[in-house]
Amino acid sequence: MSVAPVTPEPTAIGVAGDRARVRYALLGAFFLVAGIWLAWSGTWLLGWEIDDLAINPRHWFGLIGIITAPFAHGSFEHLMTNTLPLGLLAALALYAYPLAVRYALPTIWLLSGIAVWLFARPSLHIGISGIVHGLMFFLFVIGLLRRDRLGIAISLVVFFLYGGMVMTVLPREENISFEYHLAGALAGLISAIVFRNRDPKSIRKRYDWEDEEIEPDTDDELELPRPTDVPVLWRRESAIVEDNESDEDNVIAFPGRRRDGGPTIH
Protein backbone atom coordinates (compact mmCIF):
# COMPACT_ATOMS: atom_id res chain seq x y z
CA MET A 1 0.00 0.00 0.00
CA SER A 2 1.38 3.38 -1.00
CA VAL A 3 0.92 5.72 1.93
CA ALA A 4 0.16 9.36 1.16
CA PRO A 5 -0.22 12.03 3.82
CA VAL A 6 -3.71 12.98 4.91
CA THR A 7 -4.82 16.13 3.10
CA PRO A 8 -7.14 18.73 4.71
CA GLU A 9 -8.89 19.59 1.43
CA PRO A 10 -11.52 17.19 0.02
CA THR A 11 -9.91 16.79 -3.40
CA ALA A 12 -10.52 13.76 -5.59
CA ILE A 13 -7.03 12.39 -4.96
CA GLY A 14 -7.28 13.05 -1.24
CA VAL A 15 -10.66 11.35 -0.92
CA ALA A 16 -9.46 8.31 -2.88
CA GLY A 17 -6.37 8.01 -0.70
CA ASP A 18 -8.42 8.37 2.46
CA ARG A 19 -10.79 5.63 1.34
CA ALA A 20 -7.84 3.33 0.67
CA ARG A 21 -6.50 4.00 4.17
CA VAL A 22 -9.90 3.26 5.71
CA ARG A 23 -10.20 -0.06 3.83
CA TYR A 24 -6.67 -1.01 4.81
CA ALA A 25 -7.34 -0.21 8.46
CA LEU A 26 -10.65 -2.06 8.62
CA LEU A 27 -9.33 -5.15 6.87
CA GLY A 28 -6.23 -5.29 9.04
CA ALA A 29 -8.23 -4.92 12.24
CA PHE A 30 -10.74 -7.53 11.02
CA PHE A 31 -8.09 -10.14 10.33
CA LEU A 32 -6.42 -9.51 13.68
CA VAL A 33 -9.70 -9.93 15.55
CA ALA A 34 -10.64 -12.93 13.41
CA GLY A 35 -7.32 -14.55 14.30
CA ILE A 36 -7.99 -14.55 18.03
CA TRP A 37 -11.55 -15.78 17.46
CA LEU A 38 -10.37 -18.65 15.24
CA ALA A 39 -7.71 -19.62 17.77
CA TRP A 40 -10.22 -19.64 20.62
CA SER A 41 -12.75 -21.58 18.54
CA GLY A 42 -10.09 -24.11 17.58
CA THR A 43 -9.03 -24.72 21.17
CA TRP A 44 -12.65 -25.05 22.24
CA LEU A 45 -13.77 -27.37 19.40
CA LEU A 46 -10.65 -29.53 19.27
CA GLY A 47 -10.18 -29.70 23.00
CA TRP A 48 -6.70 -28.18 23.06
CA GLU A 49 -5.17 -27.28 26.36
CA ILE A 50 -4.82 -23.56 26.95
CA ASP A 51 -1.75 -24.27 29.06
CA ASP A 52 0.17 -25.35 25.97
CA LEU A 53 -0.26 -21.88 24.43
CA ALA A 54 0.42 -19.78 27.54
CA ILE A 55 3.60 -18.06 28.66
CA ASN A 56 5.14 -19.94 31.54
CA PRO A 57 7.81 -17.62 32.96
CA ARG A 58 11.37 -18.95 33.04
CA HIS A 59 10.43 -22.38 31.68
CA TRP A 60 11.81 -23.37 28.29
CA PHE A 61 8.58 -24.96 27.11
CA GLY A 62 6.83 -21.67 27.94
CA LEU A 63 8.79 -19.74 25.31
CA ILE A 64 6.27 -20.73 22.64
CA GLY A 65 3.76 -18.61 24.53
CA ILE A 66 5.54 -15.44 23.43
CA ILE A 67 3.94 -16.03 20.02
CA THR A 68 0.81 -17.99 20.92
CA ALA A 69 -0.34 -16.53 24.26
CA PRO A 70 -2.17 -13.52 22.74
CA PHE A 71 -4.38 -15.93 20.77
CA ALA A 72 -5.37 -17.94 23.86
CA HIS A 73 -8.23 -16.87 26.15
CA GLY A 74 -9.53 -18.57 29.21
CA SER A 75 -13.23 -18.00 28.59
CA PHE A 76 -15.75 -16.48 26.21
CA GLU A 77 -16.10 -13.44 28.49
CA HIS A 78 -12.34 -12.95 28.41
CA LEU A 79 -12.42 -13.05 24.61
CA MET A 80 -15.31 -10.58 24.35
CA THR A 81 -13.61 -8.17 26.74
CA ASN A 82 -10.59 -7.88 24.43
CA THR A 83 -12.41 -7.94 21.07
CA LEU A 84 -13.80 -4.40 20.91
CA PRO A 85 -10.73 -2.50 22.16
CA LEU A 86 -8.44 -4.60 19.97
CA GLY A 87 -10.50 -3.94 16.83
CA LEU A 88 -10.89 -0.22 17.48
CA LEU A 89 -7.29 0.48 18.48
CA ALA A 90 -5.90 -1.62 15.64
CA ALA A 91 -8.11 0.20 13.11
CA LEU A 92 -7.04 3.63 14.41
CA ALA A 93 -3.38 2.64 14.36
CA LEU A 94 -3.54 1.21 10.84
CA TYR A 95 -5.39 4.27 9.56
CA ALA A 96 -3.20 6.95 11.12
CA TYR A 97 0.20 5.21 11.09
CA PRO A 98 0.13 2.37 8.51
CA LEU A 99 3.92 2.30 8.14
CA ALA A 100 4.79 2.61 11.82
CA VAL A 101 2.35 -0.14 12.84
CA ARG A 102 4.15 -2.62 10.60
CA TYR A 103 7.08 -2.32 12.98
CA ALA A 104 5.27 -1.36 16.18
CA LEU A 105 2.85 -4.29 16.37
CA PRO A 106 5.53 -7.03 16.09
CA THR A 107 7.69 -5.07 18.53
CA ILE A 108 4.87 -4.85 21.07
CA TRP A 109 4.01 -8.50 20.55
CA LEU A 110 7.55 -9.78 21.07
CA LEU A 111 8.80 -7.35 23.73
CA SER A 112 5.77 -7.79 25.95
CA GLY A 113 5.98 -11.59 25.70
CA ILE A 114 9.71 -11.67 26.42
CA ALA A 115 9.30 -9.33 29.40
CA VAL A 116 6.53 -11.52 30.83
CA TRP A 117 8.63 -14.66 30.38
CA LEU A 118 11.58 -13.02 32.13
CA PHE A 119 9.98 -11.09 35.00
CA ALA A 120 6.37 -12.19 35.57
CA ARG A 121 5.01 -14.28 38.41
CA PRO A 122 5.30 -18.04 38.09
CA SER A 123 1.90 -18.62 36.54
CA LEU A 124 0.28 -19.11 33.13
CA HIS A 125 -0.21 -15.84 31.23
CA ILE A 126 -2.65 -15.73 28.31
CA GLY A 127 -4.74 -13.19 26.42
CA ILE A 128 -4.20 -10.33 24.03
CA SER A 129 -4.80 -7.62 26.61
CA GLY A 130 -1.07 -6.90 26.72
CA ILE A 131 -1.12 -6.11 23.00
CA VAL A 132 -4.21 -3.95 23.53
CA HIS A 133 -2.40 -1.95 26.21
CA GLY A 134 0.57 -1.61 23.90
CA LEU A 135 -1.58 -0.22 21.07
CA MET A 136 -3.31 2.21 23.42
CA PHE A 137 -0.02 3.62 24.76
CA PHE A 138 1.45 3.64 21.26
CA LEU A 139 -1.41 5.73 19.84
CA PHE A 140 -1.49 8.12 22.77
CA VAL A 141 2.25 8.81 22.92
CA ILE A 142 2.97 8.95 19.19
CA GLY A 143 0.25 11.57 18.71
CA LEU A 144 1.81 13.77 21.38
CA LEU A 145 5.26 13.36 19.87
CA ARG A 146 4.25 14.12 16.27
CA ARG A 147 1.98 17.06 17.21
CA ASP A 148 -0.03 16.99 14.01
CA ARG A 149 -3.79 17.45 13.92
CA LEU A 150 -4.64 13.81 13.20
CA GLY A 151 -2.29 12.45 15.84
CA ILE A 152 -3.52 14.80 18.56
CA ALA A 153 -7.16 13.99 17.74
CA ILE A 154 -6.55 10.24 17.95
CA SER A 155 -4.59 10.64 21.18
CA LEU A 156 -7.51 12.47 22.80
CA VAL A 157 -10.05 9.91 21.56
CA VAL A 158 -7.96 6.97 22.74
CA PHE A 159 -7.35 8.46 26.17
CA PHE A 160 -11.03 9.36 26.54
CA LEU A 161 -12.14 5.81 25.70
CA TYR A 162 -9.39 3.73 27.29
CA GLY A 163 -7.58 6.03 29.71
CA GLY A 164 -8.48 3.60 32.48
CA MET A 165 -5.84 1.23 31.15
CA VAL A 166 -3.28 3.38 32.94
CA MET A 167 -4.52 1.91 36.23
CA THR A 168 -4.58 -1.71 35.03
CA VAL A 169 -0.79 -1.82 34.71
CA LEU A 170 -0.72 -2.04 38.51
CA PRO A 171 -1.51 -5.19 40.50
CA ARG A 172 -5.22 -5.18 41.27
CA GLU A 173 -6.63 -8.71 41.01
CA GLU A 174 -4.77 -11.95 41.55
CA ASN A 175 -6.05 -13.70 38.43
CA ILE A 176 -5.27 -10.80 36.06
CA SER A 177 -1.80 -10.60 34.56
CA PHE A 178 -0.86 -7.00 35.28
CA GLU A 179 2.66 -7.96 34.17
CA TYR A 180 1.38 -8.48 30.63
CA HIS A 181 -0.41 -5.12 30.77
CA LEU A 182 2.65 -3.31 32.06
CA ALA A 183 4.99 -4.97 29.56
CA GLY A 184 2.66 -4.14 26.67
CA ALA A 185 2.36 -0.52 27.80
CA LEU A 186 6.14 -0.12 27.99
CA ALA A 187 6.57 -1.78 24.61
CA GLY A 188 3.99 0.58 23.11
CA LEU A 189 5.77 3.57 24.62
CA ILE A 190 9.11 2.45 23.18
CA SER A 191 7.55 1.78 19.77
CA ALA A 192 5.99 5.25 19.68
CA ILE A 193 9.35 6.89 20.36
CA VAL A 194 11.32 4.76 17.91
CA PHE A 195 8.86 4.67 14.99
CA ARG A 196 7.23 8.11 15.29
CA ASN A 197 8.74 9.39 12.02
CA ARG A 198 7.91 6.40 9.81
CA ASP A 199 4.74 7.94 8.38
CA PRO A 200 4.52 11.32 6.64
CA LYS A 201 2.75 13.99 8.64
CA SER A 202 -0.68 15.11 7.53
CA ILE A 203 -0.68 18.24 5.40
CA ARG A 204 -1.60 21.30 7.40
CA LYS A 205 -4.38 23.47 6.02
CA ARG A 206 -3.19 26.97 5.20
CA TYR A 207 -5.61 29.88 5.28
CA ASP A 208 -5.62 32.94 3.04
CA TRP A 209 -4.91 35.35 5.84
CA GLU A 210 -1.65 33.54 6.60
CA ASP A 211 -0.33 34.42 3.12
CA GLU A 212 -1.06 38.12 3.40
CA GLU A 213 1.99 40.28 3.96
CA ILE A 214 1.84 42.51 6.99
CA GLU A 215 2.67 46.05 5.91
CA PRO A 216 4.44 48.31 8.39
CA ASP A 217 2.24 51.03 9.81
CA THR A 218 3.64 54.39 8.69
CA ASP A 219 0.65 56.50 9.72
CA ASP A 220 1.69 58.99 12.39
CA GLU A 221 -1.80 60.29 13.09
CA LEU A 222 -2.18 58.15 16.20
CA GLU A 223 1.25 58.97 17.62
CA LEU A 224 1.33 61.38 20.53
CA PRO A 225 3.43 64.55 20.02
CA ARG A 226 6.49 65.23 22.08
CA PRO A 227 6.05 67.48 25.13
CA THR A 228 8.20 70.22 23.57
CA ASP A 229 5.88 70.34 20.55
CA VAL A 230 2.73 70.97 22.60
CA PRO A 231 1.86 74.70 22.81
CA VAL A 232 1.22 76.22 26.22
CA LEU A 233 -2.26 77.69 25.94
CA TRP A 234 -2.34 79.61 29.20
CA ARG A 235 0.63 81.82 28.41
CA ARG A 236 0.98 84.70 25.98
CA GLU A 237 2.94 84.24 22.78
CA SER A 238 5.30 87.08 23.69
CA ALA A 239 6.27 85.31 26.92
CA ILE A 240 6.88 82.08 25.05
CA VAL A 241 9.15 83.85 22.61
CA GLU A 242 11.09 85.48 25.47
CA ASP A 243 11.45 82.12 27.22
CA ASN A 244 12.84 80.55 24.07
CA GLU A 245 15.39 83.32 23.68
CA SER A 246 16.66 83.16 27.26
CA ASP A 247 18.05 80.21 29.17
CA GLU A 248 17.05 81.50 32.61
CA ASP A 249 14.38 79.85 34.69
CA ASN A 250 10.95 81.43 34.58
CA VAL A 251 9.36 82.50 37.84
CA ILE A 252 5.71 83.39 38.07
CA ALA A 253 5.06 86.16 40.62
CA PHE A 254 2.04 85.83 42.87
CA PRO A 255 0.54 88.78 44.72
CA GLY A 256 1.56 88.95 48.40
CA ARG A 257 -0.39 89.91 51.49
CA ARG A 258 -1.23 93.60 51.71
CA ARG A 259 0.58 95.49 54.45
CA ASP A 260 -2.40 97.65 55.36
CA GLY A 261 -4.21 94.62 56.73
CA GLY A 262 -6.93 94.75 54.08
CA PRO A 263 -8.51 91.69 52.71
CA THR A 264 -6.81 89.66 50.04
CA ILE A 265 -8.44 87.56 47.42
CA HIS A 266 -7.68 83.83 47.50
Side-chain angles (χ1 to χ4, degrees):
M1 174 184 176
S2 59
V3 179
V6 178
T7 57
E9 299 294 340
T11 60
I13 298 177
V15 171
D18 195 62
R19 287 177 178 173
R21 291 169 73 106
V22 171
R23 287 194 299 268
Y24 177 75
L26 293 179
L27 286 176
F30 171 78
F31 283 118
L32 185 59
V33 172
I36 65 173
W37 273 84
L38 288 175
W40 181 82
S41 301
T43 56
W44 180 68
L45 293 174
L46 301 177
W48 293 349
E49 292 292 337
I50 298 294
D51 299 353
D52 297 336
L53 304 178
I55 299 177
N56 196 344
R58 293 169 297 280
H59 288 81
W60 294 112
F61 59 86
L63 283 174
I64 189 64
I66 296 175
I67 305 298
T68 60
F71 291 104
H73 291 80
S75 63
F76 181 76
E77 291 77 10
H78 186 199
L79 179 65
M80 288 296 298
T81 302
N82 289 329
T83 297
L84 180 59
L86 175 65
L88 180 59
L89 293 174
L92 290 175
L94 290 169
Y95 173 78
Y97 314 107
L99 295 180
V101 172
R102 297 177 186 178
Y103 301 92
L105 185 58
T107 301
I108 295 171
W109 199 295
L110 295 176
L111 283 184
S112 59
I114 293 173
V116 170
W117 188 83
L118 290 175
F119 305 109
R121 293 169 291 174
S123 180
L124 298 178
H125 300 262
I126 57 175
I128 203 167
S129 57
I131 312 300
V132 172
H133 281 70
L135 288 175
M136 182 270 175
F137 276 79
F138 169 78
L139 287 172
F140 179 70
V141 175
I142 196 174
L144 299 181
L145 294 177
R146 288 168 62 91
R147 298 182 182 179
D148 57 346
R149 181 178 299 180
L150 178 62
I152 292 296
I154 291 179
S155 295
L156 294 177
V157 170
V158 166
F159 191 79
F160 175 76
L161 293 176
Y162 300 111
M165 290 185 182
V166 177
M167 299 301 299
T168 58
V169 300
L170 302 175
R172 302 176 64 186
E173 299 182 22
E174 185 177 359
N175 59 342
I176 294 179
S177 176
F178 78 92
E179 297 96 334
Y180 220 151
H181 298 172
L182 178 59
L186 293 177
L189 176 63
I190 295 172
S191 299
I193 296 174
V194 174
F195 306 121
R196 66 182 183 277
N197 295 323
R198 290 284 178 176
D199 294 275
K201 289 188 177 181
S202 57
I203 300 176
R204 178 179 174 270
K205 183 177 181 180
R206 191 169 186 85
Y207 298 91
D208 295 338
W209 58 266
E210 295 182 286
D211 298 328
E212 297 178 358
E213 296 183 359
I214 301 177
E215 299 180 357
D217 188 9
T218 58
D219 190 4
D220 297 335
E221 294 181 358
L222 301 179
E223 293 185 2
L224 296 176
R226 294 180 298 176
T228 56
D229 298 335
V230 179
V232 184
L233 301 179
W234 54 273
R235 298 184 63 184
R236 294 177 301 175
E237 295 182 0
S238 59
I240 296 175
V241 173
E242 293 177 358
D243 291 343
N244 292 335
E245 294 177 353
S246 61
D247 296 334
E248 297 179 358
D249 297 335
N250 298 321
V251 179
I252 301 176
F254 292 92
R257 183 181 296 276
R258 296 176 58 182
R259 295 180 179 278
D260 55 2
T264 57
I265 299 174
H266 295 281

